[in-house]
Amino acid sequence: MTEEELVTRLHQAAEAKKKAEEAAAEQFAAVVVDALRAGLKPKAVATATGYSYETIRRIARANDIGRLREPTVTSRKKAQSGGDSPA
């Protein structure tokens, strides 16, 4: 086999690997979105998948899923007062 043929095969293998990884990432994101929309908590999704909460949050945001958790009392007070509460 010539060097040119080897380089061509390497290029084809690299492209195939890249496409497979992209397809797997899309499938993973779709399943995460389904789980979140079905009511599974982000922490449970993160634990089940082994991915970080931040990764799950990014996937949710990219798919127009709203807040992943209810606002805390503190965050509600800050939102109502328009800023930090006096300390």
Side-chain angles (χ1 to χ4, degrees), residues 10-60:
L10 284 170
H11 178 70
Q12 290 170 342
E15 275 298 309
K17 182 177 185 275
K18 182 179 177 183
K19 286 181 182 179
E21 288 171 347
E22 289 171 355
E26 288 175 13
Q27 182 181 6
F28 175 75
V31 173
V32 167
V33 167
D34 288 346
L36 293 172
R37 287 192 174 139
L40 203 59
K41 300 224 180 260
K43 182 177 180 181
V45 175
T47 300
T49 61
Y51 283 81
S52 70
Y53 179 85
E54 182 61 22
T55 298
I56 303 306
R57 186 192 66 76
R58 286 181 185 150
I59 291 171

